[in-house]
């Protein structure tokens, strides 16, 4: 029996319909990944248009990739005026199979304007062409470069966080695990917005949103199967692909985890926070009532979205020492 | 067990709480001493109201069947209201301490800033009056408020129950009672750091054992006073400890907030998770580095301001403030 889903906040219904029509016009299935990717590319504004006349500088660079892998493209976004010394590595979403780094630049532009943050958006290889940990390794290469070039960018290397939504949240969590395990750059925090972290897709919430809402159970299945192929569900799945698989969540940077109460990722994300706390780690968890996947971006004027944006900004200020 | 670190901005507030409010952490042997100390910290309502543009009135209303009347205090905008949102307030204090004027300053703020009508309820305390005295008193007060909504200038469809700590426990329990007795419609339940589970055995209770405020030992003392020998047994009803409820469907929307550095953290997460699993509405906020009651003790801290803003946002959504 399909469990009864948590209803949506009525104020979010319109944005949800818009999301479904714009982003999920074509149900994401194994055979529609490429078609979805082409469609997704049409809804991402070019960086020139995103920046427009804003008082920002942006620059594309190519940096060394993971060992034995191609170079990685990044885009750096900085305020024209004073920088605050804080940095954000932005990792885009798209179910591990869609999108480009310019799907993550909106957040970086906002943070550069309001907080003088220097942002780096990282391009990573997509599944199914590049399965397993290819994406996470590319993102980690981006972090290593960012931390290594912090001084040149006007960033304090102790004030860099990693941030992403959906698959970008999963990859952000993976980068935080890698940085810990490899004794790499010391992250000041990990901002995980409705993160996609568990390939097993077997929680109550994953069944509540089966065929309904944004990024439903079936889309989630498609993304994970593309990323993990036949290894999905097995013990061979790396925590760097599916951070929920990590058995040790101690000694991670402070985590900010936010998710809607009306989405597939709710239970796995609550569980991740709970397990971080159980180890004595720092985390902040917000589960927004009646909210769908991506609500704060697609229904920005709703009261709940404004509250979500304000809470996130508060954590960023606390974590990065901003005013 | 490794505890979760406190937000450095809250450390002064934590020390203040430990020194001035808890004094000695609550244990079974010091309930009366703690009660006296707590009472001395609660200012008379006249002093708290001061020049604020509110009117307040004490009323005595019928108690539960066979039990004494219940004292309520109604706080309204001085200018009067009609069809206002109502806030039914249940104070904290581990079921053993406090009176209805504890935290009344925040209630007056809501009245002044948002034009709500607030009612705060006196309930009998444990161990002298164990379960179900406290929850039945609270329920009786709510029934009276809903039944007199028109004369109080309240829209009966816009009443929320709220409480912190033991007040959160009683707010959750009253919501269960109202559902099961087909009682007053409740538009929402605000559960701030609620005590929900008498078993007191989740990982967070062991992390905050002799650490922080309202630690595992204090929680044990409160539950033991309230439930006596039944505490932790198989026979604890849901109205006594809401975590014991097997059915969390059909409840009013819940707002659950607490600090990451609290003994009560895990039981409160579980309660929210089980409401969602039943298809119910709940909003959950767990604030990094925050302790039991920190936003009231250190209201100027960044995390406290964010805490208050998120709660107010939910109230705006639920009550159309």
């Amino acid at each position: 029996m399909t469990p009864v889903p948590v209803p949506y906040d009525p104020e979010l219904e319109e944005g949800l319909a818009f999301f479904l029509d714009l982003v999920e016009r074509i149900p994401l299935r194994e055979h529609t990944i490429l078609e979805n990717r082409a469609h997704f590319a049409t809804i991402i504004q070019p960086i020139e248009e995103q920046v427009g006349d804003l008082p920002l500088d942006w620059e594309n660079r190519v940096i060394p990739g993971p060992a034995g892998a191609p170079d990685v493209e990044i885009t750096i976004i900085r305020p024209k005026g004073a920088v605050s010394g804080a940095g954000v590595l932005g990792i885009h979403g798209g179910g591990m199979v869609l999108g480009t780094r310019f799907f993550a630049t909106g957040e970086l532009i906002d943070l550069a304007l309001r907080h003088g943050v220097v942002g780096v958006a990282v391009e990573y290889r997509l599944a199914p062409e590049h399965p397993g940990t290819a994406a996470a390794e590319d993102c980690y290469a981006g972090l290593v470069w960012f931390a290594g070039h912090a001084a040149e960018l006007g960033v304090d290397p102790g004030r860099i966080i990693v941030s992403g939504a959906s698959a970008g949240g999963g990859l952000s969590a993976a980068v935080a695990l890698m940085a810990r395990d490899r004794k790499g750059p010391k992250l000041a925090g990990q901002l995980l917005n409705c993160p996609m972290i568990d390939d097993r897709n077997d929680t109550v919430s994953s069944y509540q949103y089966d065929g309904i809402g944004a990024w439903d159970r079936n889309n989630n299945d498609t993304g994970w199967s593309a990323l993990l192929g036949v290894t999905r569900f097995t013990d061979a799945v790396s925590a760097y692909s599916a951070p929920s698989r990590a058995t040790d969540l101690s000694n991670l940077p402070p985590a900010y985890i936010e998710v809607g109460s009306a989405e597939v990722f709710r239970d796995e994300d609550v569980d991740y926070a709970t397990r971080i706390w159980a180890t004595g780690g720092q985390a902040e968890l917000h589960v927004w009532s009646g909210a769908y996947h991506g609500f704060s971006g697609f229904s920005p004027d709703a009261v709940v979205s404004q509250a979500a944006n304000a809470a996130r900004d508060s954590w960023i200020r606390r974590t990065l020492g901003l005013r | 067990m490794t505890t979760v670190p406190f937000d450095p901005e809250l450390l002064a507030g934590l020390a203040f709480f430990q020194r001035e409010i808890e004094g000695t952490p609550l244990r079974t042997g010091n309930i009366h001493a703690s009660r006296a100390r707590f009472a001395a910290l609660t200012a008379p309502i006249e002093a708290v109201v001061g020049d604020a543009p509110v009117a307040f009135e004490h009323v005595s209303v019928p108690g539960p069947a066979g039990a004494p009347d219940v004292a309520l205090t109604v706080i309204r905008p001085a200018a009067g209201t009609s069809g206002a949102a109502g806030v039914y307030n249940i104070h904290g204090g581990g079921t053993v301490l406090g009176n209805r004027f504890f935290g009344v300053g925040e209630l007056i703020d809501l009245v002044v800033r948002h034009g709500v009508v607030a009612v705060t309820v006196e309930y009998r305390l444990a161990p002298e009056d164990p379960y179900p005295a406290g929850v039945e008193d609270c329920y009786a007060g709510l029934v009276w408020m809903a039944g007199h909504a028109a004369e109080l200038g309240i829209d009966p469809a816009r009443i929320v129950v709220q409480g912190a700590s033991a007040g959160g426990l009683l707010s959750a329990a009253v919501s269960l009672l109202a559902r099961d007795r087909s009682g007053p419609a409740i538009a929402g339940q605000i559960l701030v750091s609620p005590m929900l589970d008498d078993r007191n055995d989740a990982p967070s209770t062991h992390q905050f054992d002799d650490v922080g405020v309202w630690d595992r030992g204090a929680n044990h003392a409160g539950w033991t006073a309230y439930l006596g020998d039944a505490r932790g047994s198989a026979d604890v009803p849901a109205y006594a400890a809401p975590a014991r409820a097997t059915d969390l469907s059909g409840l009013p929307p819940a707002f659950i907030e607490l600090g990451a550095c609290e003994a009560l953290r895990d039981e409160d997460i579980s309660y929210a998770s089980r409401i969602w699993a039943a298809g119910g509405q709940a909003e959950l906020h767990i604030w990094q580095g925050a302790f039991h009651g920190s936003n009231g003790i250190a209201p100027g801290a960044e995390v406290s301001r964010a805490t208050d803003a998120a709660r107010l946002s939910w109230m705006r959504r639920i009550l159309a403030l």
Side-chain angles (χ1 to χ4, degrees):
Chain A
M1 196 182 84
T2 306
V4 179
V6 177
Y8 297 110
D9 179 336
E11 207 186 358
L12 297 177
E13 297 272 8
E14 186 182 342
L16 173 59
F18 178 77
F19 181 102
L20 293 174
D21 182 55
L22 178 72
V23 181
E24 295 191 356
R25 192 169 295 171
I26 310 156
L28 186 68
R29 300 294 179 269
E30 187 182 355
H31 63 280
T32 64
I33 288 176
L34 295 179
E35 190 187 353
N36 262 288
R37 199 180 285 172
H39 171 65
F40 207 72
T42 67
I43 62 180
I44 300 175
Q45 258 191 322
I47 185 71
E48 294 82 355
E49 290 178 21
Q50 290 186 38
V51 173
D53 297 329
L54 298 172
L56 300 172
D57 292 319
W58 63 273
E59 175 190 359
N60 293 328
R61 285 213 204 176
V62 177
I63 64 166
D71 288 346
V72 167
E73 294 178 275
I74 60 169
T75 296
I76 304 164
I77 293 170
R78 349 171 30 167
K80 279 193 191 294
V83 296
S84 62
V88 176
L89 180 73
I91 304 178
H92 73 83
M96 307 288 180
V97 296
L98 312 175
T100 70
R101 67 188 182 279
F102 301 112
F103 193 50
T105 40
E107 180 201 17
L108 300 180
I109 288 170
D110 175 57
L111 291 173
L113 291 173
R114 291 190 304 112
H115 293 309
V117 163
V118 175
V120 172
V122 60
E123 199 68 52
Y124 58 84
R125 288 168 290 169
L126 299 176
E129 295 89 335
H130 300 281
T133 57
E137 292 289 359
D138 287 352
C139 294
Y140 184 70
L143 174 65
V144 169
W145 184 90
F146 193 178
H149 293 72
E152 160 193 337
L153 297 169
V155 170
D156 173 352
R159 289 170 67 204
I160 296 175
I161 64 169
V162 60
S163 172
S166 196
L171 291 166
S172 295
V175 163
L177 291 165
M178 287 172 155
R180 176 196 66 179
D181 297 345
R182 296 172 181 177
K183 302 184 170 38
K186 189 167 165 48
L187 281 165
Q190 48 178 331
L191 199 169
L192 314 180
N193 189 342
C194 49
M196 172 181 177
I197 52 180
D198 194 342
D199 63 294
R200 292 163 294 194
N201 202 24
D202 195 34
T203 60
V204 172
S205 53
S206 76
Y207 292 102
Q208 284 177 312
Y209 299 92
D210 182 350
I212 54 171
W215 196 254
D216 83 324
R217 169 178 189 79
N218 302 293
N219 280 22
N220 199 37
D221 262 330
T222 304
W224 282 115
S225 291
L227 186 72
L228 299 174
V230 296
T231 67
R232 188 177 167 209
F233 305 114
T234 72
D235 291 344
V237 174
S238 166
Y240 303 149
S241 296
S244 291
R245 298 299 202 108
T247 52
D248 177 9
L249 294 180
S250 66
N251 297 309
L252 289 170
Y256 184 88
I257 300 178
E258 66 174 288
V259 68
S261 73
E263 65 166 299
V264 161
F265 293 145
R266 183 192 69 223
D267 292 339
E268 68 198 59
D269 293 354
V270 169
D271 179 68
Y272 202 69
T274 300
R275 290 173 54 213
I276 289 173
W277 288 315
T279 71
Q282 291 276 25
E284 181 157 307
L285 173 67
H286 300 279
V287 185
W288 298 97
S289 194
Y292 63 89
H293 188 67
F295 70 102
S296 60
F298 281 84
S299 301
D301 297 329
V303 174
V304 65
S305 303
Q306 291 171 350
N309 290 333
R312 187 187 317 116
D313 202 57
S314 167
W315 182 85
I316 291 172
R317 289 197 304 272
R318 280 177 270 146
T319 301
L320 290 175
L322 302 166
R323 286 175 192 283
Chain B
M1 291 189 74
T2 314
T3 67
V4 179
F6 297 103
D7 182 334
E9 203 183 351
L10 298 177
L11 288 175
L14 178 63
F16 175 84
F17 194 131
Q18 288 172 324
R19 187 179 65 241
E20 301 296 329
I21 299 181
E22 282 201 336
T24 304
L26 185 77
R27 298 292 182 263
T28 299
N30 66 21
I31 286 176
H32 288 98
S34 294
R35 195 182 288 172
R37 173 184 192 85
F38 208 70
L41 292 167
T42 306
I45 185 165
E46 292 79 4
V48 183
V49 166
D51 298 333
V54 303
F56 68 90
E57 177 188 1
H58 306 304
V59 293
S60 182
V61 308
D69 286 350
V70 169
L72 304 175
T73 296
V74 181
I75 307 167
R76 286 183 275 192
T81 59
S82 167
V87 175
Y88 186 69
N89 182 69
I90 305 177
H91 73 81
T95 75
V96 297
L97 314 174
N99 63 43
R100 69 188 184 280
F101 304 114
F102 176 58
V104 80
E106 290 160 37
L107 209 53
I108 291 167
D109 266 358
L110 276 178
V111 175
V112 170
R113 293 169 57 194
H114 301 288
V116 306
V117 174
V119 173
T120 184
V121 59
E122 200 67 51
Y123 58 87
R124 286 169 289 168
L125 299 177
E128 295 87 341
D129 293 290
Y131 171 82
V135 64
E136 290 292 358
D137 287 352
C138 292
Y139 185 75
L142 176 68
V143 168
W144 182 88
M145 180 186 185
H148 293 74
E151 82 186 57
L152 294 170
I154 296 172
D155 174 357
R158 290 198 297 145
I159 296 175
V160 295
V161 297
Q162 73 162 27
S165 196
L169 149 65
L170 294 167
S171 296
V174 159
S175 299
L176 290 164
L177 278 178
R179 176 195 66 179
D180 297 346
R181 293 177 180 172
S182 303
I186 298 175
Q189 44 178 333
I190 300 177
L191 313 179
V192 176
S193 305
M195 294 166 65
L196 296 171
D197 196 338
D198 61 293
R199 290 163 293 194
N200 199 26
D201 199 33
S204 55
T205 67
H206 294 280
Q207 285 180 312
F208 295 92
D209 188 353
D210 273 327
V211 177
V213 290
W214 197 251
D215 77 326
R216 182 166 197 270
N219 201 40
H220 178 88
W223 280 113
T224 301
Y226 191 48
L227 301 181
D229 291 342
R231 191 199 71 78
S233 75
D235 301 326
V236 175
Y239 310 131
R244 300 299 198 111
T246 52
D247 176 10
L248 293 180
S249 66
L251 290 170
F255 181 89
I256 301 178
E257 133 197 343
L258 79 166
C261 303
E262 294 210 34
L264 306 176
R265 187 187 68 227
D266 291 335
E267 68 199 58
D268 292 356
I269 294 171
S270 167
Y271 201 70
S273 294
R274 291 175 54 216
I275 290 173
W276 293 318
Q281 288 285 16
E283 182 156 303
L284 176 66
H285 298 280
I286 302 191
W287 298 94
Q288 182 171 297
F291 61 85
H292 192 71
S294 57
N295 70 303
I297 297 290
E302 169 68 40
V303 67
S304 301
R305 285 185 279 131
T307 301
D308 291 338
R311 189 186 326 106
L312 196 58
S313 164
W314 185 86
M315 292 183 78
R316 284 176 60 199
R317 282 174 267 148
I318 291 290
L319 294 174
L321 297 180

